[in-house]
């Protein structure tokens, strides 16, 4: 069964450094998402992406964040200058369609630790 | 604003006990509801979903959930839990193409 994959599984970085989190969505999916879960808190929506454009972003997704689909398979989340409060589990998701009736498939997550 | 509330943060049960995890949502539009499970060290997996039709939805591993529109609820149930059901369970609603999650319920099953 096709799955969403994410790399790395765990990333440790120093405050102020740039990080890139990578995701390979399911191959025939066209809609991509990032979510994050700060330890002990709920999973929160960050951004949705379709046709090489951001469709929607939350207030968490400020200028320090960017997303890109650099080739036909990868979907990346970049944090330009990490802060301590960016430490979280980051989940990528993809779906074949959009809207309220779509089912999003989640990856295993990348645990980001900012020191 | 859209929100999802899960009543229990941590539940401990013995094997063979019955399970009910509460979930209430707040959303003005057409609701599409989900329960996800996250086993230790693993990724989020879909347990079951409700889009329309029969409000009693059956999912994988013997789980079911009932959508009660008048109560804005979507409680998860299982008649007899197993040790392998130890995991974190998330109720969620699809609100205009983004998933809104509850805070999760950590379920611990005693062997």
């Amino acid at each position: 069964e096709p799955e969403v994959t994410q790399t790395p599984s765990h990333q440790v970085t120093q405050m102020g450094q740039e990080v890139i989190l990578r995701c390979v969505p399911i191959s025939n999916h066209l809609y991509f998402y990032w979510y994050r879960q700060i330890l002990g808190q709920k999973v929160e929506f960050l951004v949705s992406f379709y046709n090489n454009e951001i469709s929607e972003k939350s207030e968490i997704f400020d200028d320090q964040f960017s997303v890109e689909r650099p080739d036909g398979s990868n979907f990346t989340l970049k944090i330009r200058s990490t802060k301590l409060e960016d430490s979280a589990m980051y989940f990528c998701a993809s779906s074949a369609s959009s809207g309220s009736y779509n089912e999003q498939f989640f990856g295993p997550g990348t645990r980001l630790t900012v020191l | 604003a859209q929100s999802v509330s899960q009543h229990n943060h941590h539940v401990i049960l013995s094997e063979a006990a019955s399970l009910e995890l509460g979930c209430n949502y707040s959303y003005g539009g057409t609701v599409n509801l989900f329960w996800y499970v996250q086993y230790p060290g693993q990724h989020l997996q879909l347990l079951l979903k409700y889009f329309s039709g029969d409000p009693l939805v059956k999912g994988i591993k013997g789980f079911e959930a009932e959508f009660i529109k008048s109560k804005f609820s979507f409680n998860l149930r299982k008649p007899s839990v197993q040790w392998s059901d130890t995991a974190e369970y998330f109720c969620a609603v699809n609100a205009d193409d983004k998933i809104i999650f509850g805070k999760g319920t950590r379920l611990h099953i005693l062997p």
Side-chain angles (χ1 to χ4, degrees):
Chain A
E1 189 176 325
E3 288 184 337
V4 176
T5 59
Q6 290 184 242
T7 54
S9 56
H10 192 184
Q11 172 96 44
V12 181
T13 190
Q14 296 288 329
M15 191 169 56
Q17 295 296 303
E18 174 183 286
V19 294
I20 297 176
L21 309 183
R22 290 183 167 80
C23 169
V24 178
I26 293 173
S27 63
N28 62 342
H29 285 182
L30 301 175
Y31 299 84
F32 314 112
Y33 311 83
W34 283 101
Y35 293 80
R36 81 169 186 192
Q37 184 182 25
I38 293 172
L39 187 65
Q41 299 186 25
K42 60 182 166 182
V43 179
E44 301 171 289
F45 169 79
L46 289 179
V47 66
S48 57
F49 188 86
Y50 169 71
N51 200 25
N52 285 317
E53 287 185 351
I54 289 174
S55 306
E56 186 172 353
K57 59 184 180 180
S58 71
E59 58 192 26
I60 303 167
F61 194 88
D62 62 21
D63 292 343
Q64 292 299 311
F65 291 88
S66 62
V67 288
E68 193 178 30
R69 189 154 160 81
D71 53 42
S73 58
N74 288 285
F75 178 52
T76 62
L77 174 69
K78 182 194 291 186
I79 309 175
R80 265 181 268 283
S81 176
T82 50
K83 302 189 277 285
L84 293 176
E85 54 265 36
D86 293 327
S87 293
M89 182 75 94
Y90 289 82
F91 294 101
C92 173
S94 70
S95 67
S97 60
S98 70
S100 296
Y101 288 93
N102 84 71
E103 179 180 339
Q104 296 179 19
F105 294 81
F106 286 82
T110 293
R111 183 173 298 283
L112 176 64
T113 302
V114 182
L115 303 176
Chain B
Q2 309 114 348
S3 67
V4 176
S5 298
Q6 291 184 240
H7 310 153
N8 315 98
H9 298 301
H10 195 182
V11 172
I12 301 173
L13 293 172
S14 298
E15 272 194 310
S18 65
L19 169 73
E20 181 160 1
L21 301 182
C23 172
N24 287 91
Y25 64 90
S26 170
Y27 179 57
T30 302
V31 285
N32 297 290
L33 297 156
F34 306 85
W35 275 96
Y36 286 90
V37 60
Q38 189 173 27
Y39 296 102
Q42 296 188 30
H43 58 97
L44 287 165
Q45 297 176 42
L46 183 68
L47 261 185
L48 48 79
K49 61 187 177 187
Y50 171 79
F51 281 179
S52 65
D54 189 343
L56 185 61
V57 180
K58 294 201 184 298
I60 60 171
K61 305 188 181 191
F63 286 91
E64 64 179 32
E66 186 175 12
F67 169 56
I68 304 179
K69 190 174 179 180
S70 60
K71 294 185 178 180
F72 299 93
S73 70
F74 191 56
N75 292 355
L76 181 71
R77 300 195 291 248
K78 185 170 183 178
S80 176
V81 294
Q82 300 170 301
W83 178 78
S84 57
D85 293 325
T86 294
E88 189 153 18
Y89 293 80
F90 296 92
C91 182
V93 60
N94 186 324
D96 293 329
D97 203 37
K98 56 181 181 289
I99 307 288
I100 308 294
F101 287 87
K103 283 194 170 183
T105 297
R106 197 174 294 275
L107 176 65
H108 187 76
I109 306 298
L110 302 173

